[in-house]
Each structure stands twice: as structure tokens, then as C-alpha cells.
Amino acid sequence: MPWIHKMKTGLPLILGKAGLSLLLFAVALSYEEASPERLTFLLLLFALFMGWGFARPFFLPHFLLFLVDGVILYLMEYESKYVINYFLHSLYIMVLLEAGFLLSRKMFDLTFLLLAPLSMAKFVYLLLHEWNGRTISEFLFNLFALLFMAALIHAKEIHREAMATTQELYRELLDTYKKLKEERKRAEEAVLLRERTRIAREIHDRVGHHLTGLILQLEMLSLEGERNEKLERIKEMARLSLAETRKAVHALSGEEKRGMKGILEFIERFRRLHPVSIKLNLSDAIDQVLLTPEQSLVLFRLLQESLTNATKHSKGEEVTITLLHGEGNRLHFHIKNALLNEGEIREGFGLSAMRERVEEAGGRFSYFADGGYFHVEGFLPLRQLSEEE
């Protein structure tokens, strides 16, 4: 609705035009010394001119609307006892200025082509009846005044259009910059993920293989000889080393990038490897929810930090994890665990990192303690996957 917008922003101009028009018309009447009949007709025409000026902005913008102003002014000049009443004639300038402010450049050009001949009609009449230096100079002065005003309005519109184009280009450049920044971040994460996967494969193939061989050799030594406590301790250390190696491989292999299924596998594996009871509340078909690599990483780190904290502070008490796919394509999360030492909770590095990750992803994060339990909750907006993802 650009017309209505311009009408509102141009209201001071319209009111100013109305006040100046009243002043010009009053001065014009003082020179007219019109008879009661002619005075009444001039007042009616001016009232029509003013009323139409206030009503015009409520119609759809069109250059023909300003032609009505021109016709009314022409009739007012026709009723004047002077060939040219310069105070009445000045009202043409007011109308053209208003058209230049409210109309587009193309519409203003059409309005100018219609009103300029009406405005110059009396000067052409003078030239035809009194060809002398005065009438020629008046004609040229008013013609150049109209052309100069049109040029100024054109310059203003060209400047406005240039500014609008510049703003649009700036927005496009900013959007392109943001997209390039996101693409660079994804590319860096992809390179990092490939390197982590390569390192995980190397650890699995080499260190894991050697540790497995070492455990087998120790088992064979146990079968060949008598039971030896030192040998048993070495075997236990080898098994723990193998378990830690497997955990490192899982951590490096980029499982946090594998979407919701990878998240659920991580929770199940954490349940098996740690002395903590985990209760899951999941919405239907939660494993079918599509996550981008960035969303997977945020949720993985959130659950990893929350479960690690719960293991430290709840001493084996049950941890409840709720994951719900809600309206607005949001993934709502809620992690609840027992809080044995209830007191003032300070936001350390872990909670701060969780908050930053969630908020950077456009989500909401909060935590609180209530009735001996610690709660972490919020949501993540789920962005649609692109074809590459």
C-alpha cells in the first residue's frame, strides 16, 4: 500500500499546502474586488479545490486525479478579472509539488504533461495578443520555472530510487555474506569430521587391534600357567584401555552428526556404560525427525553434558530425558535428574556452553532446581534439510 504510506508520511505537506493555498487565495481575492456573484463562484471553486485535495489520497494513485485539480484551477483563473492573477496561478505549483511527492516518477511525468499546458495557457494567450518583451519574458520565466521544478522533483526521485537500490543491494550482499559464512562453517566442519573419522579409523584399526591381540596373549598366558594376580591386573588394565579406546573412537567418529538415530544410540550406549538409570519420554516416530548436522551437534553436546552432570551429581538416581517434536517444527527437550546437594546453582562453563549452542541455533535454553531435582529444558527450531544434507 505505497499510496496510503505516502499519504500518511506526506500529511504535513498536504496540511502545509492547504494553509499556503488559503493564504494565496485570500491575497488573490483582495486584488479581485469581485462582485458578490463572482465572489461566491470563486469561493465555491476554491472550496471544491480544497476538498478534492484532501479526498484525492484515498483513491488509487493515478495521474488523472491531479487533472481535476488543474481543471478547477483553470476555472478559477478564467473567473479572474485579470488575464493572469499570479496568486491564483501559484496554486499550480502547489499541485505539481504535491504530485511530485505522492506519485511515482512515471506518474508525475504524465501529470506534468497534463498540468503544464493548463498552467501556461494564459501566457500563450498573452503572447498571441500582446507580442512584446514583457509577455515573452513572462512566458519564458514561467516555462523555465516549471521545467526547473520538474527537474528538482526528478532529481529527488532518482536519488530516492538510487538509495532504495543501494539498500536492496546492501541487503543482498549481507545475505550473501551470511550464506558464505555458513557455507564456510559447514565446509570447515566437514573437513574436521573427515579428519576425525580418519583418526578414529586409525585408532580402531591399529591401537584397537594391538590391544585386542594383547588381551588374547594374556589370556593364553593365564591358561598356560598358574593364576597370577599381577597378570590379572595387567589383563584388566588392557580391557579398560580397549574400552576407553572404543569410547574415543565413538567420540571421534562423528556420531553426533548422524541425526536423531545417532542421538538415541548415544543415549542407549551411555546407559550401558555408566551406572545411571535413564528414562526416555519420546514423541511418536521421534527417530524419523530430520536433523541437520548443526542441529545434531547441538543436541548431542546438550545431552552429553547433561548426562555427564547427572552421573556426577545424582549418584545413580534416575535421569528422565524428554524429547518431543512439537508444533512449529520445534524439538522440545527436557532433562531432569536428582540433585543431592541442593543449593545455589551457578552457571559454569558447561551450562554456559549449552546455552550458547542452543541460542546460536535459534532455540531457547533454561535451567532451574525444584524439589530436589535439576531441570534443563528448551527447544530447537528444526531447519529443513537441503538436498546436499
Side-chain angles (χ1 to χ4, degrees):
M1 299 289 287
W3 178 252
I4 296 298
H5 172 70
K6 282 193 171 185
M7 183 192 74
K8 291 178 179 177
T9 56
L11 186 60
L13 176 70
I14 297 172
L15 294 176
K17 172 207 154 190
L20 190 55
S21 298
L22 281 169
L23 178 62
L24 290 171
F25 182 71
V27 176
L29 283 184
S30 68
Y31 283 95
E32 285 291 331
E33 298 178 355
S35 64
E37 294 79 8
R38 194 160 59 86
L39 177 63
T40 302
F41 191 59
L42 284 171
L43 287 172
L44 288 174
L45 286 173
F46 183 74
L48 180 61
F49 172 76
M50 294 290 289
W52 174 245
F54 281 106
R56 185 188 342 97
F58 291 95
F59 294 89
L60 291 176
H62 200 277
F63 68 95
L64 290 177
L65 296 176
F66 287 89
L67 181 60
V68 177
D69 296 76
V71 171
I72 296 173
L73 290 177
Y74 184 81
L75 292 175
M76 289 171 64
E77 278 200 306
Y78 184 80
E79 287 298 315
S80 171
K81 73 175 183 178
Y82 299 103
V83 176
I84 300 173
N85 186 325
Y86 286 98
F87 294 101
L88 285 178
H89 188 78
S90 299
L91 296 176
Y92 283 108
I93 304 297
M94 308 288 295
V95 173
L96 285 172
L97 284 174
E98 186 181 1
F101 184 85
L102 295 176
L103 295 177
S104 65
R105 189 149 53 103
K106 182 179 179 181
M107 286 278 193
F108 171 76
D109 289 343
L110 294 172
T111 304
F112 183 81
L113 291 175
L114 289 175
L115 292 187
L118 285 175
S119 174
M120 296 299 298
K122 287 291 186 78
F123 294 99
V124 173
Y125 176 81
L126 278 178
L127 281 178
L128 293 176
H129 287 80
E130 296 182 34
W131 182 268
N132 54 46
R134 182 180 65 82
T135 57
I136 293 173
S137 62
E138 286 182 348
F139 174 83
L140 292 176
F141 176 80
N142 282 275
L143 178 62
F144 283 120
L146 284 174
L147 294 175
F148 180 70
M149 183 191 66
L152 285 179
I153 292 174
H154 263 265
K156 177 188 76 70
E157 284 297 306
I158 290 172
H159 176 72
R160 183 189 62 80
E161 291 170 6
M163 289 296 295
T165 302
T166 302
Q167 290 292 329
E168 183 64 27
L169 289 174
Y170 174 75
R171 284 193 292 269
E172 291 178 2
L173 183 62
L174 188 62
D175 291 341
T176 302
Y177 169 74
K178 290 180 179 178
K179 290 178 182 177
L180 287 174
K181 191 175 179 180
E182 290 179 2
E183 290 298 326
R184 187 185 69 176
K185 182 180 178 182
R186 291 177 189 172
E188 290 174 352
E189 289 183 350
V191 171
L192 179 62
L193 179 59
R194 285 196 295 270
E195 184 63 17
R196 288 170 59 183
T197 303
R198 185 189 65 79
I199 295 172
R201 190 180 298 115
E202 291 291 325
I203 294 175
H204 179 271
D205 294 344
R206 295 185 181 184
V207 181
H209 175 74
H210 291 315
L211 285 173
T212 302
L214 175 61
I215 292 172
L216 289 175
Q217 293 292 329
L218 291 172
E219 290 288 351
M220 291 176 65
L221 286 175
S222 297
L223 293 175
E224 292 176 0
E226 297 180 359
R227 183 178 180 85
N228 188 305
E229 290 186 5
K230 290 184 178 180
L231 187 61
E232 291 298 323
R233 283 200 297 272
I234 293 172
K235 283 166 53 180
E236 185 61 27
M237 289 176 62
R239 290 193 184 96
L240 288 174
S241 298
L242 182 60
E244 291 298 322
T245 300
R246 286 173 176 168
K247 287 169 65 177
V249 168
H250 283 304
L252 285 170
S253 62
E255 62 187 345
E256 67 271 27
K257 298 279 186 175
R258 289 165 44 206
M260 187 57 72
K261 289 185 179 180
I263 297 294
L264 297 177
E265 289 174 6
F266 161 72
I267 295 173
E268 184 59 33
R269 187 167 55 257
F270 194 97
R271 192 204 314 249
R272 292 198 307 267
L273 296 176
H274 296 82
V276 62
S277 174
I278 299 177
K279 179 183 178 182
L280 286 176
N281 293 325
L282 307 174
S283 59
D284 295 337
I286 192 69
D287 58 335
Q288 302 299 317
V289 171
L290 298 178
L291 299 176
T292 65
E294 294 83 0
Q295 293 161 356
S296 297
L297 179 61
V298 171
L299 187 58
F300 180 89
R301 295 302 185 203
L302 175 77
L303 291 171
Q304 188 180 51
E305 182 69 21
S306 297
L307 288 172
T308 301
N309 289 341
T311 304
K312 290 179 182 177
H313 302 297
S314 64
K315 304 298 182 184
E317 294 288 334
E318 184 178 78
V319 179
T320 302
I321 298 175
T322 301
L323 297 175
L324 303 175
H325 186 203
E327 293 182 2
N329 201 24
R330 291 177 172 181
L331 182 67
H332 296 266
F333 57 83
H334 180 208
I335 301 99
K336 169 185 162 186
N337 63 270
L339 191 63
L340 298 183
N341 299 319
E342 192 169 359
E344 182 182 359
I345 299 174
R346 295 182 179 179
E347 185 170 310
F349 177 78
L351 288 172
S352 176
M354 282 193 280
R355 178 188 298 280
E356 289 177 4
R357 286 181 181 274
V358 172
E359 291 181 352
E360 283 178 3
R364 186 184 63 112
F365 173 88
S366 63
Y367 62 87
F368 61 93
D370 178 39
Y373 288 92
F374 183 70
H375 303 258
V376 170
E377 64 180 13
F379 67 81
L380 280 173
L382 300 182
R383 181 173 59 84
Q384 295 296 326
L385 291 171
S386 63
E387 293 181 1
E388 291 82 1
E389 295 172 323

